[in-house]
Amino acid sequence: MGWLSDIGNAVSSAAGAVGDAVEGVVDVVTNTVQDGVDTVVGGIQDGLGWANSWLCRNAGGVGCRIGNIVLGGLAGVVKGLQDVIDKVFDIVHNVGGALGALLHGDLAGFIGKLGAILLDVVELVLNVVRFLTLGTLIGGIRDAWQAEDLREFVDKLINQHFGFNPSQLARIRDRLGLDRTSWGYPMNAEHRVFRLDSGNAPLWQWHQNGIIDLYAMAGLTSFDSFDVGRRRTLVRSANADGTIESSFPINRWTLAHYIDSDGKDGRIIVYALTANAVKDFVQVSIDKFKKLGINLKWNTGGRFEYFPSIPFHDIETLNELTFDRSKLGPYLVSEGLRDPQSDQCNLLALAAFDLVTGLGQTSGRNISEGSAATPCTNTPERDDGCCMSINRRTGAGVIYHDQWPTQIFRYVLAHEGGHYAGLCHFGHDGFQNIMFTPEKTANLSYWDWGMFRYYLDNEPAFTLADAKNVWRFLVAEMAPCLDDPAASEPVIL
Ligand SMILES: [Zn+2]
């Protein structure tokens, strides 16, 4: 039987190599075009935003609002076009993925990709309708208007809060750029993907015991499971001491030999997320956080990175494989990732393989919602039925996992980041809100009158009210971060 399966493995490895090549080429081409479009559009948006901001500083109230309408509208139109182009390339990208899955004999993966293509097409139609009915134009005007409102709000808030100490006030205003044309809180952020190394954990045994399905995780034909909603994991082979990894996904031949030799033949490395998946989560969070007046600066997931390395956190146990999210805070401390007393000014995000329950979790924040949120001593002026403070007895960070379909779940990192920056679920009914959660305990409804905002935003978004409450939280709880650039430098101990 050995030689027979060897032939089968060799044949499927050869077809798989073609699949890898197809997927790889499509990936590089679509990524390059999309990064190019996003960079050019980002530049135009920044320019329009800058001009708007300049008008608001120098042309008086009326000039400012006229600028909001004209320049904001223009920015909205450009953004609408970008959304349409992006969606077309998402479709091309997923067609490449579907072809790749087919060549790997990964029928479940192929069906999953077809589902993704269908959702992309629906979104493409919506994007075109939104563009033609001027939804993106109106959305752009509203965004520009609200960006100015937020800036005025933060300007006043900072003055009120730190006015008693003129030198500190000057430092903070300078750091946030409140007296310059563009402003925002620069927040460093570190992303790490959970990684399994067969040198540290008996992955072949977990596979044999049915705990994990390495073939499915590698995007290869699996006879043990049929999961169309497979998460975007990556399996690679490595050299004997695990120091050098192959740059390509593993093939069936190599993986079968590792498993069938009870782990004696070869070494494999498994990432909870591919580089592409990391990039998507990271870019979404950067984009969404702009509306909060926070500029996220990640260690990974930038544009135009070809074959990037994936910053990781090695795990070895089954408890980490399926992570209990309620233990995140103590875990960050015991793993030496966070110091409860000092690390607050930057964001640490871990991408897990799976959680016992839920999509994600934020630690290091005391959250009370609804009637439990009053009185709120640190931020009595909050208006979102939420009260939050920093919990300095545990590690602060977020954890999340990938979930199919990505069109719906790509906001989960931005959502957890929202908790980290001081937001909760309360009152965020409707999928148009980033702070919406389908988890039952939050008592939120999918549908809400505010769904009109989804039409304007095109995607789930933070609201102006969210942004104001984030800043109330920041000045009350994270003043040292606003003040001292050094306080937000080291992300990992
Ligand atoms: Zn949440």
Side-chain angles (χ1 to χ4, degrees):
M1 156 92 189
W3 63 271
L4 204 64
S5 64
D6 268 358
I7 291 176
N9 289 335
V11 169
S12 76
S13 297
V18 178
D20 288 339
V22 170
E23 252 189 287
V25 168
V26 173
D27 262 12
V28 167
V29 172
T30 52
N31 278 342
T32 304
V33 174
Q34 279 181 312
D35 285 348
V37 169
D38 291 350
T39 303
V40 169
V41 170
I44 295 173
Q45 303 284 23
D46 287 351
L48 290 172
W50 190 90
N52 223 320
S53 209
W54 186 89
L55 277 180
C56 289
R57 307 279 83 66
N58 299 290
V62 178
C64 169
R65 291 312 185 182
I66 290 174
N68 288 168
I69 293 168
V70 176
L71 300 172
L74 194 56
V77 168
V78 173
K79 172 80 168 54
L81 282 175
Q82 176 195 19
D83 289 340
V84 170
I85 296 169
D86 265 347
K87 211 32 84 180
V88 170
F89 280 95
D90 279 352
I91 292 173
V92 175
H93 185 250
N94 278 326
V95 167
L99 268 177
L102 211 54
L103 284 163
H104 282 114
D106 176 18
L107 187 61
F110 176 70
I111 295 171
K113 287 288 177 194
L114 288 189
I117 292 167
L118 193 69
L119 276 176
D120 282 341
V121 169
V122 170
E123 287 193 335
L124 175 63
V125 170
L126 286 176
N127 287 353
V128 170
V129 168
R130 193 177 282 119
F131 184 76
L132 294 177
T133 55
L134 306 183
T136 54
L137 177 105
I138 298 164
I141 293 171
R142 185 214 47 185
D143 281 350
W145 199 282
Q146 291 190 342
E148 184 53 28
D149 285 352
L150 179 64
R151 182 181 176 130
E152 279 174 19
F153 173 84
V154 173
D155 194 289
K156 270 199 201 105
L157 185 73
I158 296 288
N159 286 348
Q160 272 167 14
H161 211 87
F162 302 103
F164 67 95
N165 182 342
S167 61
Q168 187 188 28
L169 177 66
R171 280 196 309 273
I172 292 178
R173 288 190 65 88
D174 182 52
R175 178 107 194 287
L176 301 180
L178 283 170
D179 298 309
R180 293 190 292 274
T181 305
S182 52
W183 72 285
Y185 171 45
M187 185 188 266
N188 286 314
E190 170 110 0
H191 192 280
R192 299 235 180 156
V193 173
F194 272 10
R195 192 183 88 150
L196 285 164
D197 176 349
S198 69
N200 308 325
L203 304 184
W204 63 272
Q205 203 167 37
W206 294 1
H207 177 87
Q208 305 283 24
N209 293 344
I211 297 164
I212 54 176
D213 182 344
L214 284 172
Y215 290 113
M217 290 174 111
L220 301 168
T221 318
S222 167
F223 302 106
D224 301 316
S225 66
F226 193 85
D227 182 8
V228 299
R230 194 173 70 76
R231 292 173 188 168
R232 290 172 287 177
T233 48
L234 171 68
V235 184
R236 283 176 176 163
S237 63
N239 66 342
D241 62 5
T243 48
I244 303 170
E245 284 173 41
S246 161
S247 357
F248 294 97
I250 200 165
N251 62 34
R252 185 163 199 93
W253 173 278
T254 314
L255 185 54
H257 276 248
Y258 164 73
I259 293 170
D260 297 340
S261 68
D262 291 353
K264 292 181 198 74
D265 190 359
R267 182 167 181 155
I268 63 165
I269 308 269
V270 189
Y271 290 88
L273 285 183
T274 62
N276 260 334
V278 172
K279 180 174 169 180
D280 190 39
F281 283 116
V282 160
Q283 290 292 334
V284 165
S285 70
I286 291 173
D287 188 39
K288 298 297 163 189
F289 263 64
K290 277 187 188 156
K291 210 163 167 190
L292 298 177
I294 296 176
N295 304 323
L296 282 178
K297 299 184 185 310
W298 288 98
N299 62 325
T300 184
R303 294 186 188 133
F304 299 113
E305 285 181 4
Y306 298 100
F307 309 109
S309 61
I310 304 171
F312 59 86
H313 176 70
D314 267 327
I315 63 165
E316 298 177 6
T317 64
L318 292 174
N319 282 338
E320 292 164 296
L321 179 71
T322 307
F323 195 87
D324 179 352
R325 61 180 182 169
S326 66
K327 303 204 167 105
L328 177 60
Y331 180 79
L332 293 173
V333 178
S334 68
E335 289 291 301
L337 294 169
R338 287 300 231 188
D339 174 350
Q341 295 302 320
S342 63
D343 292 321
Q344 292 297 341
C345 300
N346 41 58
L347 175 61
L348 170 62
L350 299 179
F353 284 93
D354 199 8
L355 300 177
V356 178
T357 56
L359 288 165
Q361 180 81 5
T362 303
S363 65
R365 299 287 177 268
N366 301 308
I367 307 180
S368 36
E369 304 186 56
S371 54
T374 47
C376 186
T377 45
N378 68 341
T379 46
E381 64 286 16
R382 277 189 85 127
D383 57 6
D384 57 352
C386 180
C387 188
M388 285 190 77
S389 59
I390 288 179
N391 175 358
R392 290 183 201 282
R393 290 192 299 274
T394 192
V398 309
I399 193 164
Y400 73 102
H401 66 77
D402 191 28
Q403 183 74 21
W404 181 91
T406 56
Q407 285 89 344
I408 292 174
F409 295 106
R410 62 203 289 251
Y411 307 99
V412 59
L413 176 59
H415 173 102
E416 297 307 331
H419 284 309
Y420 194 83
L423 295 173
C424 70
H425 299 139
F426 189 83
H428 290 88
D429 285 306
F431 184 63
Q432 77 276 14
N433 284 302
I434 294 262
M435 296 317 292
F436 171 77
T437 174
E439 287 179 26
K440 294 220 168 47
T441 47
N443 263 325
L444 296 179
S445 153
Y446 267 95
W447 304 105
D448 179 84
W449 287 109
M451 281 303 268
F452 177 64
R453 259 190 27 237
Y454 188 82
Y455 166 75
L456 296 181
D457 284 323
N458 194 16
E459 289 184 342
F462 290 115
T463 63
L464 177 60
D466 287 341
K468 289 181 177 175
N469 287 314
V470 160
W471 278 93
R472 290 174 176 128
F473 172 81
L474 290 178
V475 296
E477 293 284 317
M478 290 170 68
C481 306
L482 301 179
D483 191 0
D484 178 11
S488 56
E489 283 301 321
V491 176
I492 293 283
L493 293 170

